[in-house]
Amino acid sequence: MEHVHTEEEHRFPSPEQDFEIYKAARSEGDFQHALYHLACALSTDPSNTEWLGSLNEWMNSGEDLLPYVPVEENNYFAVMAVRAYIYARVNNFNEAFGLLGQVIKVKPEVPYLVWVCEWEPQIANVDEIDENTMLVFFGGVMRSVDLLEGNERRKVLAALVSVLRKMCETRPKAYMLFWLLSSMYRRQEDVLAAFAAAKTAYKLNKCWNTAIGMALCFKAQGNIRKAAGFYKKAGRLDPGNEAGYLDLGDMYLENDLYKKALKAYIKAAEIRPGHEWAIPSILYCEYMLKKDAERLGKIETYYKANTSNGRARQLLKPLLPGSELPFVDYIPEPQEATINVLRQVAEQNPDLESGGTISLTINHLEAPSAIRAMELYLNKFGRSANPPKLNLTINNVPEPDPRQAIAENGAMLWNYDGVNAQPAMPKPSGQAADAVRRLAVTPYQIEDWYRIAGEIAQSLTTAHLPDLFAVLTHPPEPPEQISSWRWLQRIQYAAVFLMARLSPTKPSEPLLSLCYGQSDWPVNAAVTVLAYQAQGDPELEQAVSAVFLQLVERIPNEGYCFFSYALLCSWLRLPSIDDKQREQLEQWKSDLEQRE
């Protein structure tokens, strides 16, 4: 019998609702549907005892559940995780570890590794687990291990160490298993055990991996000299691998040994020219050795052209006084005439509870979000018997007409009646609005927001994209301490960041739609994120530059253009643009800054 969805189920159920759907579908005999929803619930809390208990009780009844979690094209990760769990319950640990490793590699942030704590005592014969299966498994789960914290981390590490020790006992010549065991011991901070396992691995096979394992153990013991010796041995064993030299440079840098660090980073850059970790590290070491204006100038030039480089931000930004970059470290406030008036009104704090009218005449039609910000401000007083009103007069519509899209796929966020705009979409779902709010209240820095947006996007699907477009014109209620224009601006940026993380393509289709659609504030967020995503990929940078050229064509002949500054700042962050174009853009940007 096929389970029939209710209207509520069609709207992205909560984990608790997923579990209720699972129970209903199971009772109706729709087992594949039931396990899908149980998998969805477990993907939010893999250690939930009620949900796992229900699955275990079902398997204990003797039902073969594997056919109901089939391996298909474009498998949903949560369903495959449950398949791995079922494999373990039927003592097929080779398949269980193999499949779970694939899942965790895709979704390291979901703590499926807690299941290993349950599996480990049940493994009666490690000979049935293939060595290559475990090598692939551990190769995919290290990041997930490092994301765990507290008691959960301690239990998982103990279980993983136990499995590896058993496998090492039955496979005394498997050097990579000993290497992995050493890595797990280091994470447990058991330095002596880590060193013993690393030494065994190195004796079995003197290769790059085992030499690095020895180096890491000596580093953990505080023996820089011997650690450096093994890093260098690793370099000789695999001359084409720069990672050991990067680690060597980092170790020297941590101990303020700038000359030695510089040599190590230069070696890494020789192996892989333009390395995004090595180059800023070289610039930093060179400056710390000389501390002169020339090297500081090189740092500033590199940082401005590589703002998405986390290593550059970590090392170089603190050396640059006043180095806060617009749209990277902060979002500049909007500058429309409407917003300037609104600032004055907010500062004067007039008594609008008893009504009143704000009359405003502007020469040219401005971004509709500027007017929306004014409306949001006045809405604060909407509970009064005579709510305040906005009497707006707009004298001209600039050319090109900002009310029109410039491509068929352009976003139409507003319905216009002459020059008066109203949101074109209904209000978004609460789930999408809450996700946007969570990001919007976070301190802005482009790299941090992009990362956090990726984490928040895990709770959404591409089906939420229409809701994210709707949030652009229907923002959730602002916190008391933030102005309506700043809040609307941050909400729009947050929504665009989430669109980018949900989009499967680059350049992101939703962001291109905003650029090609009606002219409004979200264009600023779109060009900011498009440039961030494109940095370091010449082909993608070329595609984004082509979009930016089209935006230049829609800068109005008269009146203020709200997106010019964001466009120029974003464009200049693309390293691949030629020197002549960069000079022209820099001059244009300087002219805008002087006018303001």
Side-chain angles (χ1 to χ4, degrees):
M1 179 178 179
E2 183 177 352
H3 176 75
V4 179
H5 280 282
T6 66
E7 178 64 26
E8 180 63 25
E9 291 171 19
H10 276 295
R11 290 190 64 81
F12 313 104
S14 67
E16 291 73 22
Q17 289 169 331
D18 270 317
F19 186 61
E20 293 302 317
I21 299 168
Y22 149 76
K23 290 191 292 186
R26 178 181 164 185
S27 67
E28 294 165 2
D30 191 356
F31 295 160
Q32 185 167 337
H33 188 75
L35 286 170
Y36 170 82
H37 281 280
L38 181 61
C40 291
L42 284 169
S43 71
T44 67
D45 183 7
S47 60
N48 187 289
T49 54
E50 180 184 6
W51 303 340
L52 286 177
S54 181
L55 178 58
N56 289 329
E57 167 266 319
W58 193 0
M59 285 187 285
N60 289 339
S61 71
E63 185 80 47
D64 180 10
L65 299 184
L66 283 173
Y68 305 114
V69 280
V71 177
E72 300 173 330
E73 189 175 353
N74 298 321
N75 285 313
Y76 183 39
F77 79 90
V79 174
M80 291 300 96
V82 168
R83 184 178 177 88
Y85 188 88
I86 295 170
Y87 274 134
R89 281 302 309 271
V90 297
N91 295 318
N92 189 342
F93 290 103
N94 192 63
E95 293 291 341
F97 278 106
L99 187 53
L100 190 68
Q102 295 176 45
V103 171
I104 293 175
K105 187 174 183 179
V106 174
K107 290 288 180 181
E109 68 276 8
V110 182
Y112 286 121
L113 281 173
V114 296
W115 291 350
V116 180
C117 300
E118 177 185 328
W119 298 355
E120 183 271 329
Q122 308 303 321
I123 301 174
N125 186 4
V126 292
D127 285 338
E128 295 177 359
I129 304 175
D130 186 74
E131 178 184 337
N132 287 330
T133 296
M134 295 308 287
L135 293 179
V136 173
F137 173 79
F138 278 94
V141 306
M142 290 299 196
R143 184 178 170 218
S144 188
V145 171
D146 293 337
L147 289 173
L148 297 174
E149 297 178 346
N151 194 44
E152 187 176 72
R153 175 182 170 87
R154 286 190 291 274
K155 288 182 177 179
V156 168
L157 281 171
L160 293 173
V161 164
S162 178
V163 173
L164 279 170
R165 285 174 59 186
K166 291 175 184 177
M167 294 192 72
C168 287
E169 289 170 3
T170 61
R171 297 169 176 84
K173 301 296 184 182
Y175 75 94
M176 282 301 293
L177 290 177
F178 283 96
W179 179 81
L180 286 170
L181 180 59
S182 176
S183 178
M184 291 296 105
Y185 277 134
R186 287 201 312 275
R187 284 167 168 79
Q188 285 186 316
E189 298 183 358
D190 189 339
V191 178
L192 293 178
F195 184 80
K199 191 174 181 180
T200 300
Y202 187 69
K203 283 183 177 179
L204 289 169
N205 188 355
K206 293 179 174 58
C207 65
W208 187 90
N209 280 318
T210 58
I212 291 294
M214 291 291 290
L216 290 170
C217 286
F218 278 119
K219 181 182 176 183
Q221 291 177 339
N223 193 328
I224 295 174
R225 183 181 63 82
K226 286 192 175 181
F230 274 98
Y231 278 128
K232 292 172 184 177
K233 281 183 181 179
R236 291 193 293 272
L237 289 165
D238 186 357
N241 192 332
E242 80 286 354
Y245 290 107
L246 292 174
D247 284 351
L248 176 59
D250 291 349
M251 182 182 70
Y252 281 141
L253 194 58
E254 289 167 8
N255 290 276
D256 298 332
L257 300 172
Y258 300 116
K259 283 186 179 180
K260 291 184 176 182
L262 179 59
K263 288 180 180 179
Y265 290 130
I266 289 174
K267 186 66 176 178
E270 288 172 351
I271 297 171
R272 187 175 155 194
H275 195 287
E276 63 181 10
W277 188 276
I279 300 304
S281 301
I282 289 169
L283 291 171
Y284 180 81
C285 291
E286 287 178 339
Y287 176 77
M288 295 304 291
L289 288 168
K290 296 288 185 180
K291 294 190 175 180
D292 60 357
E294 179 184 354
R295 284 164 181 78
L296 191 61
K298 287 181 180 180
I299 285 173
E300 184 173 13
T301 300
Y302 181 86
Y303 180 66
K304 284 184 176 180
N306 296 274
T307 53
S308 64
N309 185 319
R311 180 64 168 174
R313 184 159 68 91
Q314 174 197 11
L315 287 181
L316 305 183
K317 183 183 172 185
L319 302 177
L320 300 171
S323 61
E324 299 288 304
L325 296 176
F327 308 102
V328 172
D329 299 304
Y330 68 96
I331 304 171
E333 288 203 28
Q335 299 296 325
E336 283 88 345
T338 306
I339 299 301
N340 292 332
V341 169
L342 180 53
R343 284 193 190 93
Q344 296 173 16
V345 170
E347 288 172 3
Q348 294 166 5
N349 195 24
D351 180 12
L352 295 175
E353 290 290 349
S354 58
T357 300
I358 295 178
S359 295
L360 176 62
T361 299
I362 54 179
N363 289 330
H364 297 90
L365 179 65
E366 295 183 334
S369 285
I371 308 302
R372 184 72 169 138
M374 177 73 83
E375 293 171 347
L376 291 171
Y377 175 78
L378 296 179
N379 285 348
K380 294 194 303 181
F381 308 98
R383 292 185 295 272
S384 63
N386 299 298
K389 298 179 181 178
L390 173 64
N391 183 9
L392 179 65
T393 301
I394 300 171
N395 291 330
N396 298 290
V397 175
E399 289 291 337
D401 192 336
R403 299 170 297 182
Q404 305 299 321
I406 62 173
E408 287 186 7
N409 64 333
M412 304 296 285
L413 302 177
W414 303 93
N415 287 327
Y416 276 94
D417 179 9
V419 293
N420 298 315
Q422 292 297 322
M425 299 179 185
K427 291 184 178 181
S429 70
Q431 186 175 3
D434 288 345
V436 173
R437 175 192 280 274
R438 283 171 58 196
L439 183 56
V441 298
T442 303
Y444 179 82
Q445 201 288 327
I446 192 168
E447 182 179 304
D448 294 339
W449 264 38
Y450 195 75
R451 173 182 52 80
I452 296 169
E455 296 168 0
I456 295 174
Q458 302 297 328
S459 66
L460 306 174
T461 72
T462 53
H464 283 96
L465 284 170
D467 282 329
L468 294 177
F469 275 96
V471 170
L472 299 174
T473 56
H474 293 287
E477 285 292 316
E480 192 66 33
Q481 69 275 15
I482 190 169
S483 65
S484 62
W485 60 93
R486 291 289 285 163
W487 179 244
L488 179 58
Q489 187 184 46
R490 289 181 72 87
I491 286 293
Q492 291 175 343
Y493 267 78
V496 169
F497 271 77
L498 288 170
M499 289 179 192
R501 297 314 301 263
L502 284 174
S503 175
T505 61
K506 291 183 181 181
S508 168
E509 289 294 335
L511 273 58
L512 294 178
S513 176
L514 291 171
C515 292
Y516 296 148
Q518 294 167 313
S519 188
D520 194 21
W521 285 0
V523 173
N524 286 338
V527 299
T528 298
V529 180
L530 284 171
Y532 178 81
Q533 286 187 317
Q535 280 184 327
D537 184 333
E539 186 176 339
L540 194 53
E541 287 185 20
Q542 186 176 6
V544 169
S545 288
V547 177
F548 290 177
L549 279 170
Q550 289 179 276
L551 284 171
V552 170
E553 295 298 318
R554 73 180 310 180
I555 293 176
N557 298 324
E558 295 182 294
Y560 173 75
C561 179
F562 70 88
F563 64 79
S564 294
Y565 191 57
L567 177 64
L568 291 169
C569 291
S570 301
W571 211 338
L572 284 165
R573 287 197 292 275
L574 301 181
S576 64
I577 59 177
D578 62 53
D579 292 341
K580 183 177 180 181
Q581 186 181 36
R582 184 174 296 280
E583 183 179 348
Q584 292 171 339
L585 294 175
E586 287 280 13
Q587 184 59 55
W588 189 0
K589 175 173 171 283
S590 177
D591 291 343
L592 285 179
E593 290 171 339
Q594 288 177 12
R595 283 180 216 161
E596 294 180 3

